[in-house]
Amino acid sequence: MSNTKKDTAIPNSQLQNYHVPVLLNETIDGLNIKPAGIYVDCTFGGGGHSRAILERLNENGRLVAFDQDDDARKNLPADDRVLFVPQNFRHLQRFLRLHKITAVDGIMADLGVSSHQFDEAERGFSTRHDAALDMRMDQRQPVTAAAVLKSFTESQLHKIFEQYGEVTNSKTLARTIVQQRAVTAINTINELKQAVHSVVKGNPQKYFAQVFQALRIEVNDEFGALRELLQQSIALLKPSARIAIITFHSLEDRIVKNFFRSGTFAETEVDEVYGNKTESPLKLVNKKPVTAGTEELKLNPRSRSAKLRVAEKKA
Ligand SMILES: C[S@@+](CC[C@H](N)C(=O)[O-])C[C@H]1O[C@@H](n2cnc3c(N)ncnc32)[C@H](O)[C@@H]1O
């Protein structure tokens, strides 16, 4: 296999600082890469998975890398097999069509935020810093976390804290926010912590991590984008082509699991005699999700909640 276009321009230390890829070998093996194929990495980030895909492609292979965060652009290798699309992967089919691509040999996504996004204080993702409550992965989008806290009704806030954050006292939290925002603005991380300090339950760090996760998922409509990506992937995958998705949240994993099993987002109804009622256009490559091994868990704490599912388009 020829690999003459492999890039060496970006130092490894810069990429490792940006993000350490999780379940790297498992994902790449799962994709069963054809050297001359067309692959899509929907979540380029620091480019860890993309680089590993490129290593398995020959000079005829192509990689389309999506990332809605413009910061990811600086990690792009100087490799003319790569096409970068700085857009939300919910527009996958539209942008591939724009580049005259109608069928691909594999699609992957490593969901959520990168370590870089967490570490940049002014992005507002991390409970460790004080900054504006932003949390937009795509800075072109209008809705920030502060806007959600300002405009959502009590029941909408309750729903997101309960479903996306699994916050134990989500109802009380939502009520407190609505009461406090009438008295004082909640625009920054410290203002939010101050406004709700009286209702924090258990370990404050863990509590706020759950609150922040809920806000981040809502601001970026992460589950909506995932559903659109999965739906479009069916039309884009060639027969026997594979899709690999890494999730970090139980609801997100359930969306992927149900879709792979049934081709829909409904909880799969299993008929005792005939098996699944809905015929899926995909077949599972592994019945159970792949999780990180002991070595990776030791080296990268972020891998703890990672689940990889791989499916293959039926021929
Ligand atoms: C966990 S990181 C991916 C890390 C990457 N696999 C690596 O090895 O460095 C997720 C990346 O996907 C991007 N992202 C998340 N959701 C997205 C979406 N709906 N559309 C496009 N990019 C998205 C984020 O901006 C972030 O850079």
Side-chain angles (χ1 to χ4, degrees):
M1 177 168 61
S2 154
N3 245 334
T4 48
K5 291 172 189 149
K6 213 172 114 186
D7 173 67
T8 49
I10 303 169
N12 257 341
S13 56
Q14 177 190 315
L15 298 168
Q16 294 270 315
N17 270 344
Y18 196 97
H19 190 83
V20 178
V22 301
L23 296 170
L24 180 62
N25 295 330
E26 293 84 345
T27 308
I28 304 306
D29 288 346
L31 283 171
N32 203 14
I33 292 174
K34 295 191 181 77
I38 304 177
Y39 288 83
V40 185
D41 179 354
C42 294
T43 50
F44 178 75
H49 289 95
S50 278
R51 281 165 182 273
I53 293 173
L54 285 167
E55 277 171 18
R56 298 222 185 164
L57 293 180
N58 66 21
E59 67 275 18
N60 297 317
R62 282 173 79 188
L63 175 73
V64 185
F66 278 71
D67 203 302
Q68 61 179 333
D69 185 346
D70 207 53
D71 282 1
R73 190 188 289 277
K74 63 176 174 234
N75 304 318
L76 278 173
D79 186 321
D80 53 19
R81 297 170 299 172
V82 181
L83 168 69
F84 183 60
V85 181
Q87 300 293 340
N88 194 307
F89 59 60
R90 73 191 321 155
H91 307 302
L92 180 67
Q93 205 167 10
R94 178 146 66 90
F95 283 99
L96 288 183
R97 209 182 299 131
L98 197 70
H99 292 285
K100 315 242 175 309
I101 299 170
T102 51
V104 299
D105 296 281
I107 297 174
M108 69 150 291
D110 169 18
L111 299 170
V113 279
S114 64
S115 306
H116 165 81
Q117 288 164 327
F118 267 124
D119 293 342
E120 292 287 287
E122 74 274 13
R123 303 295 300 268
F125 287 108
S126 169
T127 60
R128 285 178 285 137
H129 310 287
D130 185 27
L133 282 159
D134 187 325
M135 302 196 196
R136 289 168 301 165
M137 290 189 217
D138 181 348
Q139 302 282 307
R140 297 161 294 191
Q141 292 305 314
V143 179
T144 63
V148 168
L149 290 170
K150 198 175 288 177
S151 63
F152 273 35
T153 63
E154 186 176 323
S155 73
Q156 285 173 316
L157 289 170
H158 173 201
K159 190 198 106 184
I160 65 166
F161 291 133
E162 184 174 68
Q163 294 184 3
Y164 302 164
E166 293 163 296
V167 176
T168 44
N169 63 344
S170 49
K171 200 170 166 55
T172 311
L173 175 65
R175 192 179 342 110
T176 308
I177 288 171
V178 170
Q179 283 164 353
Q180 290 298 311
R181 75 186 181 192
V183 184
T184 174
I186 308 177
N187 287 320
T188 67
I189 293 172
N190 279 353
E191 283 168 0
L192 173 61
K193 286 184 175 172
Q194 187 55 37
V196 303
H197 78 276
S198 61
V199 299
V200 171
K201 279 194 120 185
N203 176 342
Q205 202 154 332
K206 186 163 175 254
Y207 186 84
F208 282 114
Q210 289 173 312
V211 172
F212 274 47
Q213 173 180 279
L215 287 168
R216 192 203 83 208
I217 290 173
E218 176 60 39
V219 166
N220 297 288
D221 187 20
E222 294 183 29
F223 297 165
L226 173 61
R227 286 192 192 92
E228 290 185 40
L229 159 66
L230 291 171
Q231 248 155 357
Q232 293 168 34
S233 68
I234 299 297
L236 289 166
L237 290 168
K238 294 178 187 170
S240 302
R242 290 193 175 177
I243 177 165
I245 310 276
I246 303 169
T247 63
F248 294 87
H249 187 287
S250 57
L251 278 182
E252 202 171 55
D253 179 54
R254 204 180 317 150
I255 292 172
V256 177
K257 181 175 85 177
N258 288 340
F259 190 79
F260 282 4
R261 288 200 176 150
S262 68
T264 75
F265 299 113
E267 296 290 327
T268 316
E269 262 187 77
V270 179
D271 187 298
E272 284 183 7
V273 183
Y274 299 107
N276 285 352
K277 279 189 174 162
T278 342
E279 170 77 14
S280 175
L282 299 168
K283 75 173 182 238
L284 302 181
V285 170
N286 31 27
K287 283 219 160 66
K288 289 216 157 115
V290 178
T291 53
T294 343
E295 201 52 34
E296 181 169 10
L297 287 169
K298 245 192 279 163
L299 295 171
N300 186 2
R302 200 176 168 276
S303 65
R304 239 180 298 135
S305 45
K307 282 189 178 153
L308 166 70
R309 291 188 188 267
V310 184
E312 184 171 302
K313 173 93 172 276
K314 288 182 182 162

